[in-house]
Structure formats: structure tokens, C-alpha cells
Amino acid sequence: MSSEKPTNNNDSIIKPELLGGFRDLLPAEALMTQKVVDTIRKVYESFGFVPLETPGMENRKVLLGNTDNFNKSIFLARIVRGIEDKKIANDSWDQDYTLRFDLTVPLARVIAAYPDLPKPFKRYQIGKVWRGERPQAGRYREFSQFDFDIIGSNSILADIEVIQVMYQSMKALGIDNFLIRFNTRKILNGLAEAVNCLDNSKELFRIIDKLDKIGLTGVKSELMRQPANEYDDTALAMTENKAEKVIAFLQIKSESSDDVLVKLQDFFGDSDDLGQSGLYELQKISKALTDLNIPQKNWKIDLSVARGLDYYTGPVFETTLTDIPEIGSVFSGGRFDGLTNRFIAGSNIAGVGASVGIDRLIVALQKLGLIDKRDSVTDVLVTIFDPELQKYSMDMVQELQQNGYNTELYLGDDYTFRAQFSYAAKKSIPFVVIIGPEEMASGKIQLKDMNARKQELLTKEECFANLKSSLGK
Amino acid sequence: MSSEKPTNNNDSIIKPELLGGFRDLLPAEALMTQKVVDTIRKVYESFGFVPLETPGMENRKVLLGNTDNFNKSIFLARIVRGIEDKKIANDSWDQDYTLRFDLTVPLARVIAAYPDLPKPFKRYQIGKVWRGERPQAGRYREFSQFDFDIIGSNSILADIEVIQVMYQSMKALGIDNFLIRFNTRKILNGLAEAVNCLDNSKELFRIIDKLDKIGLTGVKSELMRQPANEYDDTALAMTENKAEKVIAFLQIKSESSDDVLVKLQDFFGDSDDLGQSGLYELQKISKALTDLNIPQKNWKIDLSVARGLDYYTGPVFETTLTDIPEIGSVFSGGRFDGLTNRFIAGSNIAGVGASVGIDRLIVALQKLGLIDKRDSVTDVLVTIFDPELQKYSMDMVQELQQNGYNTELYLGDDYTFRAQFSYAAKKSIPFVVIIGPEEMASGKIQLKDMNARKQELLTKEECFANLKSSLGK
């Protein structure tokens, strides 16, 4: 500590380090994020979704309910006042300030707190969330979520709209090869009922969700696994007969959704209520997507889509990229009726929505060559020939900005051309303007095209025409 | 606790309440915020500023330095893992996770951590910050800051650019009557030197900053105030002679900046180095603003502008609204060279920038009638006549969206027209489209103008022409 060794100067210098699991978005990353967010936001708004902002912290019970046995690593916070600081270790801990770990529970609080919000309430939200899990490659303790949800609609049209929004978002980003796979929890509940596993359906869905990773054989042996000991309540210990039934279910697939629906009807027969209501949902969704001319290559019924979270109650969705499936789901969600029950007993308010993985999308867009990585937005750098002439450079900056070009005046301390061009090159600024005494005298300016490595003496009109044809503004 | 009284149902219901000092931005507020942020962001980008995102939490020493005697109320955080929770009160407290209380110190960390960033580095950042002070009307524990800064330029051109950015931002928001008042810490240091108060300049500036509130008489008596007791080190106990000198300084004002500069020259004479360098800065800035044709009514040298924060080293700026000065400064900042010294001893990297108060601006824009408060972005609601015809409604939604109109399909459960119109009215959606069997048969649609309370049977072409003339899209 510096107070113990006040003569050691190095000791008082602080390392400019991030906390583990946190990161900076430097301009290049921040610009890509902004572009993706703006693009998707426009799609959300085209469907009438509006923004909502909730705080980074909520009361702990709001986020976790009354339980003390929550199953998450979360951040709690407390206020420390100046020199009281030294007492922290011994202080009792204020348990109220809890950092949000998703945007869905805060949404449920908003719905419960403002009953006058017109319903269906359609909101989107982008915001940071915090989780305490150990950081890994690509997994951070702080990350942004970008959700949209429809609250208060039981209509299957709302589920269909969620798929439409995902579809339009991917198209708006320039992605053509993606696949929206969907299923419904009701079908899965029908399956659970059919194999007498309704009480343990959570475990059943968890195993089904692993199909991609462990294959049919793996699923079957997981289903039949006996408990490791008397405390192991995760083993389903299914009979081979029942496990085969699950496998038969998972083998129902076809490029044609009508085909899948016929096979499902066969599987469930007429007796199973849960299965029938799920079948009805899949039929409705399939018909609507066909009616809307959403291409067959972009959607598919996939009975193995279960989604891990407990709270889904109806259709569930996952969007993967056909060319780079290894990236995983980039846009996923589902129906979660009843989320406000924590605040309003028995309210059972309907909800359906999805969340886009911005970071994964940016990785994908880069791999697909659909997004530029630039750390600048500047179109033109205006140099300063010499401080005496700076007025003319400043005027030119203003004129360029008024014409819609992002324009920087060179603000460095080194006025050599070498330094000024080097700044433009480092920031990949495509054009540089030079106004010296000769240009002043002739009423012209030098325009340097940094990519073409070409410099021309032009009138202002020629300069603007040149920029217009090159930059398309 | 619910675990103690499991039979009491009410006890398990949680109030959907916010923490004190935190707030929601419901769609109307969030939309206004977004509009203001987007407008200002465009101005920032037109000058070549690029976005940067830093984490919500930083290492405590990064934010506070090595001191234990920091003078702020801040939030510390820690990770709690599920059922370990019960041990919190007795646990030792992890002192690393500290929520940021501004965006400037994190910027300094970024500058120190990434030495390869091309300089001058021009970034903007919008983000939430957290402070532990007791909440008051209009003062929250969580609020957003929206800063822009130029790092690594000692040039006065950078200071001038900050004023230009503030000017262009106000204009872009549609505000004409505003006043950018500026001064420089160097002039104030010259004054402090002239009255032998350099060692106590912080206190001197604090008193000068209060001029608006306490007037010249108040300032004079504050300057001359004797210590209340032997521990009172805030009293300057100035002689009347010196206090009069400060008052004389504060009385230097004129609508003409040239006038102010001449009077300042008289005040300091030729001997005072600090005053002279300040004078030079004010001269340069005034000349540039005149050269740039920034109207005289929008800027002014004001020697009482001091800005409270310790870290300012050069020009300081404040923007107030001429028609509603009671709102206070909406855009302010200054030069703060040396901010990275905590991380790189003696680096003394130059910095200048400003921060806009979004919340205050929104209040102002509403008072000035320059921003609409709407809780919807939807242009058209397409109703569902009956579920049999929903395909036609869905097609119409798609077509309207493709033509650039934000369009909602009615997603409510109640298909009566009363319910559908009521939804449109509650959300102030200006147009409603109706497609029933008659419209189907005639190939036309009903377009209802909600504001004009007029409904017409139109061809699609007529409908789009109508929307275009009304909504201007």
C-alpha cells in the first residue's frame, strides 16, 4: 500500500486494468455494435415496438423472489460513503441493491407496476446485465441484451410476429442464409405426458435440448440412466420402451412442415390434449409463415428445440446461421405466460418475445463479410497548412459538415504534413483537404484521395462532386 | 420471510417497486431520450468523434486512486453465489468491484491502457453512472452521461471545437436561444495569483462559482469570512482590499468580447504570466468564434464561470438556455490536462471535452415545445376483421412496413372494433386500416384517420397516397 511506502513512486501508479470478465468496446467494436443495434431497432420499431429503460439495479426480491436458494451467481451492491470505507469489511451488508442479470424480470416488474400501460404492450430494451459466473472465452460478466417482447397477447399472431421480427432483422442485416427453428412447449408437454414424465419434464427437456451435441444414442442412454445414488434426482430412469418413444418423436422431421404435422398427428393420435394444442400452434404458425411468403429455407419445425429456461409455456424459437452453425443460436426466445405472477398472484399475463445476441451476430457478420470494421466515421480530414491560414481550414470544415460529410479539422500539435497525413492514414480517413497559400490565391483546394494515393487541385465545386461520387453522399 | 410463514399467501407476493433514487424510462421518456441522443450523436460524428464503451464496473483503485479518503458516495459490488447468500453479512467484502460514477476516469484508463489509439483521440460515450448521494427531486442515484472528449491535443483549436460541437448540438435540437459562456482556469489562476490566493484557489473558485446565487455582496463577504474555529480551513479571510480586487474582476463584463479582453488586459497589466496566458486563450477562442460566424447572441466570455471540479486546467464552458435559465447548465465542460497521471506518472496527456445533461435538455425541449411526447412510434394499426381474413391483414402489414410505415397488426384477444379502435386511440396511432369481406370483394380498404375522425374506402394506391401526404414518408 502506498501509505506504507510513501517514498516508492512506482507504488502510487495504478495499473489501467479491467476487472476480469469485463471489457472495453473500442471504437471499431462500438461502431459495429451501434450499426447492428440501429439496424435491428428500426425493424423492431417498424412493428410498433417502443423502447423501455429500466435501472441497472433492482430490489433483490424483485429479481429473485422470496427464495434464499437462488441458483445464480449475481452481483449485489452497496453504497460506501467516503472515509467510512475502512469499516466495510465489518459492516453488515445491505442486501437490497442487486444488479439485474436479465431484462425479462425487470419487464415483469414494469408490467405489474404500471397497470395502465395499453396492452398488448410491445417494448424493446437494450441494456447491460451482470452475472457472476467465471469468465470464459466469449463469456463475460457484463454483456448487453437486446430483447423485444409482446406482453398481454394470448394470440398465436403474437408468436408469429416474433418469428417475423427475427426474419426481418436478419434480412435487414444482409443475412440470407439463416434458419429459424421452432417448436412449442405444449408439444413437448404432450410428449412428457405420453411417456408419463410430466412431473420431471424439466429434466426431459434438458436432455432433448442436448440432441445436437450427444445424438440420438446419447439421448436414449441419458433418458434411461439410473440414479447415481439416493440423492440423484436428475436421473429419469426411463424404461427402454418409453425412451424409444422419445427417440421416435425426435426422429419426426422433414423439409416439409406439413409432413412433420401429419407425422405428429400420427404420433399423438386424437386422445392427447397437450399434444393436440401444441399441434394446433405449429399448424397455425406454419400456415402463417407460408401465407407471408417467408421462404421455406428460412424456417423449420424442429421438435428438438426445447430451450433450457423453466419459464417458457408455448412456442419456442431459435435462429441459427446456415453457413456458420458453430456460432450457435443468434436470436432466440419463446412464450412465457405467467411471468408477473411473482407480483400479482394468479395474474398469468401472457408474454412472448426473443433476444438477439449482438456479440455473436457481429462475429458472424464479420465472418460473412457483411460488416466493415473501421475505427473512424470521418470522411474528410482538413489539414492546417499553417496557423495563419487556420480560418480557411475551419471554414472548409464547416462547409463540408453542412454538406453531410463527417469532417475533422486536424487538432494535433505537429503541423508537418507527414504528421497530418499519418493521422489520416492511421484512422483510415479516405480524403484529406489541403488549403495553403497557393490554393488561397487560386481559390482552389487540394483534395487527396488516400486510397487512390492521388492528389488534385480542384475548385470547391469539383471537390464536392468528387466526394459525392466517391462517398455516395 | 416466506419460509417462516409458508401458509400466508400474501407474504409471498412481492411489491413491484423500484429502489429509491432509481427510475424507469417508460416508452414516452425513452423515445424522447433516444431522439435527443440520436440527434446529438449525429453532431458528434460529424466532427469525427467515435463511440467508446467501457464497463459499468471498474477496479476501485482505477476509479479512486490509492486514497482511502475519497470524498464521494459510491456503489461497491460483490458476487454472491446462490445459497452462499446467507453468509453475506459476515463475509469479508470484496473491495474491487466499483460502479463507475462518471465516464471521464474510465476514459483516462482507456487512454493509458491502449497507447496505440491514434491521437488526438476523439470519442463520445453514453452510459449509466451511479452515485450514492441521497436522492432529491430531479437527482437520481442512477443517471446517464453523454460525454465527448478530445484527448491528446494541446491546441486551442480543440477547445474551440468543443464550443462548436455544443453550438451545433443545440442548433440540431432546434434550440436558438442559448448562451455558451466560457472562461479559462488560467485567467482564474491569474486572479488567484494577483490576490495571493494560489494555494487556496479551489476555495476561491468555489466562491466565484456562487456569484449567480449570492451576488457580488455575498461573494465579497464570503471572501472575507474569518474561520469559524481552528479546524475551519475553508475560510479565505481575505483583506477588504483583496476582496475588492476579486469583485473588480467579476465586474468585468460586456456584450463585446473585445471590450472584456481590453479590460482584462488592464486588470492584469503586462506582468502577470498566468493571466496573460489565459488572456491569450480567450482572445483565440473569441476570434475563432467570430471567424466561424457563430452568432454573438450564442456565446460570451463570462469571468464567473469557474466549474467546481478540481481537474480543469484551461478553458471551461457552460451552456444555458436564454428562455429558461432556471434549468441551469445543459452542456458544460472544460480542459483537463493530466488526467492520465494516475496511470502514467508525468504523462500529462491533454484533454478537453464536455457533457450534455440529457434529462435537463428533455425538460427544456418540452417547455419550449420542441419535442413531442408520444408513447408510440406506430403509424398504422391494421385491424383484424375476423380470424378468417387475418391473412389479408397480415399481407397489408407487410406491405405498409415495406413502404416505410411503422405498422402494427392488432394482437389483442378482443376482436370487436371497439377494442381495436380503443387500442389505437390509447397509443395515439394516427391511422387504422380495416379489411373486411366487402373490402376484400371490392379490392379496396378502409382507412380511418384517427385525428380527423374520418373513414374512407380507398384503393391501395389512394391509401398510400393519403398516408404519404399525412405522414410525410
Side-chain angles (χ1 to χ4, degrees):
Chain A
M1 293 286 104
S2 62
S3 54
E4 293 163 21
K5 300 188 234 163
T7 53
N8 185 342
N9 267 333
N10 282 332
D11 204 47
S12 66
I13 291 301
I14 292 158
K15 285 192 186 152
E17 285 177 341
L18 286 166
L19 294 164
F22 291 77
R23 67 189 163 140
D24 294 314
L25 296 187
L26 294 181
E29 286 83 27
L31 279 169
M32 286 191 291
T33 302
Q34 189 171 285
K35 188 175 177 183
V36 170
V37 167
D38 284 349
T39 302
I40 296 176
R41 190 176 86 179
K42 276 207 193 83
V43 175
Y44 289 176
E45 293 195 346
S46 77
F47 282 85
F49 290 84
V50 284
L52 173 72
E53 278 189 42
T54 63
M57 289 180 233
E58 301 264 358
N59 193 302
R60 188 167 153 236
K61 289 203 171 193
V62 163
L63 295 185
L64 297 170
N66 278 311
T67 181
D68 278 336
N69 290 313
F70 58 94
N71 184 23
K72 291 187 175 75
S73 276
I74 56 168
F75 280 95
L76 296 190
R78 66 164 299 188
I79 294 170
V80 181
R81 287 190 181 79
I83 51 173
E84 287 179 28
D85 186 35
K86 285 171 182 162
K87 292 183 290 176
I88 296 170
N90 303 318
D91 258 10
S92 73
W93 170 247
D94 185 328
Q95 307 200 6
D96 277 345
Y97 297 105
T98 307
L99 279 91
R100 66 184 175 202
F101 44 80
D102 70 18
L103 302 175
T104 306
V105 186
L107 170 62
R109 178 188 52 72
V110 164
I111 298 301
Y114 308 92
D116 289 344
L117 287 172
K119 287 188 198 57
F121 179 62
K122 299 169 76 171
R123 82 87 179 83
Y124 66 85
Q125 180 166 10
I126 183 153
K128 289 186 170 177
V129 299
W130 293 270
R131 298 191 187 166
E133 281 89 8
R134 190 168 296 279
Q136 294 174 6
R139 203 170 82 182
Y140 296 91
R141 284 186 163 153
E142 178 189 78
F143 55 95
S144 287
Q145 288 201 333
F146 192 10
D147 296 4
F148 72 99
D149 294 285
I150 303 165
I151 305 296
S153 172
N154 291 299
S155 171
I156 191 79
L157 291 174
D159 306 84
I160 293 161
E161 184 165 299
V162 170
I163 293 176
Q164 276 184 283
V165 170
M166 295 193 296
Y167 172 79
Q168 295 294 356
S169 297
M170 301 308 280
K171 297 295 283 183
L173 289 166
I175 302 173
D176 283 321
N177 297 329
F178 60 92
L179 181 61
I180 302 170
R181 298 177 300 137
F182 62 91
N183 191 10
T184 166
R185 275 291 173 90
K186 288 179 186 160
I187 281 282
L188 292 169
N189 287 332
L191 170 69
E193 194 178 46
V195 294
N196 284 92
C197 194
L198 264 179
D199 292 343
N200 234 337
S201 58
K202 192 173 149 186
E203 204 51 43
L204 174 63
F205 301 161
R206 199 187 54 76
I207 296 170
I208 289 175
D209 233 7
K210 287 161 84 176
L211 176 64
D212 275 357
K213 286 181 193 144
I214 62 179
L216 285 172
T217 330
V219 167
K220 186 174 169 187
S221 69
E222 273 278 293
L223 293 170
M224 295 175 65
R225 186 171 67 80
Q226 299 297 317
N229 55 53
E230 58 184 312
Y231 306 109
D232 180 1
D233 57 1
T234 65
L236 294 178
M238 242 178 223
T239 62
E240 175 144 23
N241 209 2
K242 284 184 180 159
E244 286 289 357
K245 188 148 193 179
V246 175
I247 298 301
F249 173 86
L250 291 175
Q251 283 179 308
I252 298 173
K253 53 181 65 172
S254 167
E255 290 311 307
S256 147
S257 61
D258 289 341
D259 232 31
V260 171
L261 294 169
V262 168
K263 286 177 182 163
L264 268 178
Q265 182 63 57
D266 287 349
F267 182 86
F268 285 116
D270 288 329
S271 57
D272 185 294
D273 279 350
L274 286 170
Q276 288 304 325
S277 65
L279 197 51
Y280 171 84
E281 285 183 349
L282 297 183
Q283 281 163 344
K284 283 285 188 180
I285 296 173
S286 301
K287 177 165 189 315
L289 298 180
T290 306
D291 282 350
L292 286 164
N293 295 314
I294 296 186
Q296 283 292 336
K297 73 162 186 172
N298 291 129
W299 62 274
K300 186 180 182 177
I301 299 173
D302 182 339
L303 301 177
S304 75
V305 170
R307 312 267 317 128
L309 290 168
D310 289 355
Y311 57 62
Y312 290 115
T313 56
V316 283
F317 325 102
E318 277 192 4
T319 304
T320 44
L321 300 174
T322 322
D323 298 331
I324 30 178
E326 66 275 13
I327 279 188
S329 180
V330 293
F331 216 151
S332 52
R335 179 169 281 274
F336 49 93
D337 298 341
L339 203 70
T340 56
N341 292 359
R342 178 180 298 169
F343 306 108
I344 310 167
S347 52
N348 220 36
I349 289 177
V352 59
S355 183
V356 61
I358 298 290
D359 296 328
R360 281 187 186 181
L361 259 186
I362 288 174
V363 171
L365 290 167
Q366 285 187 279
K367 282 197 182 185
L368 297 170
L370 292 172
I371 196 167
D372 286 340
K373 187 170 183 174
R374 278 189 71 193
D375 58 8
S376 166
V377 293
T378 306
D379 299 313
V380 187
L381 174 74
V382 176
T383 55
I384 290 187
F385 187 86
D386 112 25
E388 291 298 305
L389 298 177
Q390 82 187 28
K391 176 192 177 336
Y392 304 99
S393 291
M394 289 170 80
D395 284 345
M396 188 67 193
V397 169
Q398 256 191 342
E399 200 170 337
L400 284 160
Q401 287 174 343
Q402 279 155 8
N403 280 276
Y405 298 104
N406 295 336
T407 309
E408 285 190 49
L409 179 68
Y410 177 72
L411 297 175
D413 302 323
D414 180 349
Y415 283 135
T416 62
F417 273 118
R418 187 191 162 86
Q420 300 195 55
F421 286 140
S422 159
Y423 176 78
K426 270 187 205 152
K427 291 191 64 180
S428 307
I429 298 174
F431 287 96
V432 175
V433 157
I434 302 149
I435 306 177
E438 287 174 36
E439 290 79 22
M440 288 295 312
S442 63
K444 293 186 170 180
I445 55 174
Q446 294 276 354
L447 181 69
K448 179 163 176 142
D449 180 329
M450 295 291 284
N451 298 319
R453 296 165 182 272
K454 197 177 66 178
Q455 185 170 321
E456 289 177 294
L457 187 68
L458 302 173
T459 63
K460 263 192 199 171
E461 292 68 31
E462 289 167 342
C463 169
F464 278 103
N466 198 325
L467 291 175
K468 196 179 169 78
S469 74
S470 298
L471 299 170
K473 284 190 187 184
Chain B
M1 293 281 104
S2 63
S3 54
E4 294 163 20
K5 302 188 234 164
T7 53
N8 184 341
N9 268 333
N10 282 331
D11 204 47
S12 66
I13 291 303
I14 292 157
K15 284 192 187 152
E17 285 176 340
L18 287 164
L19 294 164
F22 290 77
R23 66 189 164 142
D24 294 314
L25 296 187
L26 294 182
E29 287 82 28
L31 279 169
M32 286 191 290
T33 302
Q34 189 171 286
K35 187 173 179 184
V36 169
V37 167
D38 284 349
T39 302
I40 296 176
R41 190 176 86 179
K42 277 208 192 84
V43 174
Y44 289 175
E45 294 194 346
S46 77
F47 282 85
F49 290 83
V50 284
L52 173 73
E53 277 189 43
T54 63
M57 288 179 233
E58 300 265 357
N59 193 301
R60 187 167 153 236
K61 291 204 169 192
V62 163
L63 295 185
L64 297 170
N66 278 311
T67 180
D68 277 337
N69 290 314
F70 58 94
N71 183 24
K72 290 187 176 75
S73 275
I74 56 167
F75 280 94
L76 296 191
R78 67 164 299 190
I79 294 170
V80 180
R81 286 189 183 79
I83 50 173
E84 287 178 28
D85 185 36
K86 285 173 183 160
K87 292 183 289 176
I88 296 170
N90 303 318
D91 258 10
S92 72
W93 170 244
D94 185 328
Q95 307 199 5
D96 277 345
Y97 298 104
T98 307
L99 279 90
R100 66 184 175 202
F101 44 80
D102 71 19
L103 302 175
T104 307
V105 185
L107 170 62
R109 177 189 53 70
V110 165
I111 299 300
Y114 309 91
D116 290 343
L117 286 173
K119 287 187 198 58
F121 179 62
K122 301 169 75 171
R123 82 86 179 84
Y124 66 86
Q125 181 166 9
I126 184 154
K128 288 186 171 178
V129 300
W130 294 269
R131 297 190 186 168
E133 282 90 8
R134 190 167 296 280
Q136 295 174 4
R139 202 169 82 184
Y140 296 91
R141 283 185 164 154
E142 177 187 79
F143 54 96
S144 288
Q145 288 202 332
F146 192 10
D147 295 4
F148 72 98
D149 294 285
I150 303 164
I151 305 296
S153 171
N154 291 298
S155 171
I156 191 80
L157 292 175
D159 306 84
I160 293 160
E161 183 165 299
V162 171
I163 293 176
Q164 277 184 280
V165 171
M166 295 194 294
Y167 172 78
Q168 296 293 356
S169 297
M170 301 307 281
K171 298 293 283 183
L173 290 166
I175 302 174
D176 283 321
N177 297 328
F178 60 91
L179 180 62
I180 303 171
R181 297 177 301 137
F182 62 91
N183 190 12
T184 166
R185 274 290 174 92
K186 287 178 186 159
I187 281 281
L188 293 170
N189 287 332
L191 170 69
E193 195 178 46
V195 295
N196 284 94
C197 195
L198 264 179
D199 292 343
N200 233 337
S201 58
K202 191 173 148 186
E203 204 50 42
L204 175 62
F205 301 161
R206 198 187 54 75
I207 295 169
I208 288 175
D209 234 7
K210 288 161 83 176
L211 177 64
D212 275 357
K213 285 181 193 143
I214 61 177
L216 285 170
T217 331
V219 167
K220 186 174 168 189
S221 70
E222 273 278 294
L223 293 169
M224 294 175 66
R225 186 171 67 79
Q226 299 297 318
N229 54 53
E230 59 183 312
Y231 305 110
D232 180 1
D233 57 2
T234 67
L236 294 177
M238 241 178 223
T239 61
E240 174 144 23
N241 208 2
K242 284 183 179 159
E244 285 289 357
K245 189 147 193 180
V246 176
I247 298 301
F249 173 87
L250 290 176
Q251 282 177 309
I252 298 176
K253 55 181 65 172
S254 166
E255 290 311 308
S256 147
S257 62
D258 289 341
D259 231 33
V260 171
L261 294 168
V262 168
K263 286 176 183 164
L264 268 178
Q265 182 63 56
D266 288 348
F267 182 86
F268 284 117
D270 287 331
S271 57
D272 184 293
D273 278 352
L274 286 170
Q276 289 302 325
S277 65
L279 199 51
Y280 171 83
E281 284 183 349
L282 296 182
Q283 281 164 344
K284 282 284 190 183
I285 295 172
S286 300
K287 178 165 187 319
L289 298 180
T290 306
D291 282 351
L292 286 164
N293 295 315
I294 295 186
Q296 283 292 335
K297 74 162 186 172
N298 291 129
W299 62 274
K300 186 180 184 177
I301 299 174
D302 181 339
L303 301 177
S304 75
V305 171
R307 312 265 320 127
L309 290 168
D310 289 355
Y311 57 63
Y312 289 115
T313 57
V316 282
F317 325 102
E318 278 192 3
T319 303
T320 44
L321 299 174
T322 321
D323 298 330
I324 30 178
E326 67 275 12
I327 278 187
S329 180
V330 293
F331 215 151
S332 52
R335 180 169 280 275
F336 49 92
D337 297 342
L339 202 71
T340 57
N341 293 0
R342 177 181 298 168
F343 307 108
I344 310 166
S347 52
N348 220 36
I349 289 176
V352 59
S355 184
V356 61
I358 299 289
D359 296 326
R360 281 186 185 182
L361 261 186
I362 288 174
V363 171
L365 290 167
Q366 286 187 276
K367 282 196 182 189
L368 297 170
L370 293 170
I371 196 168
D372 286 339
K373 187 169 182 174
R374 277 190 71 194
D375 57 8
S376 166
V377 293
T378 306
D379 299 313
V380 187
L381 173 74
V382 177
T383 55
I384 291 185
F385 188 86
D386 106 30
E388 290 298 306
L389 298 177
Q390 81 185 29
K391 176 193 177 338
Y392 303 99
S393 292
M394 289 170 80
D395 284 345
M396 188 67 193
V397 169
Q398 255 190 342
E399 201 170 337
L400 284 161
Q401 288 174 342
Q402 279 156 7
N403 280 276
Y405 299 104
N406 294 336
T407 309
E408 286 188 48
L409 180 67
Y410 177 73
L411 297 175
D413 302 324
D414 179 351
Y415 283 135
T416 62
F417 273 118
R418 186 191 163 87
Q420 301 195 55
F421 286 140
S422 159
Y423 176 78
K426 270 188 205 152
K427 291 191 65 180
S428 308
I429 299 174
F431 288 96
V432 174
V433 158
I434 302 149
I435 307 177
E438 286 174 37
E439 289 77 24
M440 289 294 312
S442 63
K444 293 187 170 180
I445 55 173
Q446 293 277 352
L447 181 69
K448 178 164 176 144
D449 181 329
M450 295 291 283
N451 298 319
R453 295 164 182 271
K454 198 176 67 179
Q455 186 170 322
E456 290 177 294
L457 187 69
L458 302 173
T459 63
K460 263 193 200 170
E461 291 68 31
E462 288 166 342
C463 169
F464 278 103
N466 198 325
L467 290 174
K468 197 179 168 80
S469 74
S470 298
L471 299 170
K473 285 192 187 182

